[in-house]
Amino acid sequence: MKTKIYYESQTNWTKDDYYYLHRYLHRMLFYYEKYSQEIRMLNIEKMSAETKVLMY
């Protein structure tokens, strides 16, 4: 099983990588009904500080 992008190490990421993460999170939260199961399974503690900022 592939690691979800919001749990990946963000070492050496480019601005495009961060933009993709931002868009993924936005889409996931905007289409809550479609992604509700994934959202319920999120583990904030496993996320990097940068991802947590985007989530909040």
Side-chain angles (χ1 to χ4, degrees):
M1 181 176 197
K2 185 175 189 260
T3 302
K4 295 287 188 179
I5 188 171
Y6 41 79
Y7 295 132
E8 289 181 8
S9 170
Q10 295 168 348
T11 305
N12 299 319
W13 272 29
T14 66
K15 64 180 181 165
D16 292 336
D17 296 323
Y18 283 110
Y19 181 73
Y20 178 78
L21 173 62
H22 165 75
R23 295 298 305 153
Y24 184 89
L25 293 172
H26 178 266
R27 196 170 35 255
M28 185 172 65
L29 297 172
F30 188 77
Y31 297 107
Y32 176 80
E33 289 181 17
K34 180 178 179 181
Y35 294 97
S36 62
Q37 184 175 2
E38 183 175 352
I39 292 169
R40 282 192 298 273
M41 294 174 57
L42 288 174
N43 183 343
I44 303 294
E45 295 302 315
K46 289 177 60 178
M47 295 178 185
S48 69
E50 292 85 357
T51 302
K52 289 177 187 177
V53 167
L54 289 174
M55 290 293 293
Y56 292 114

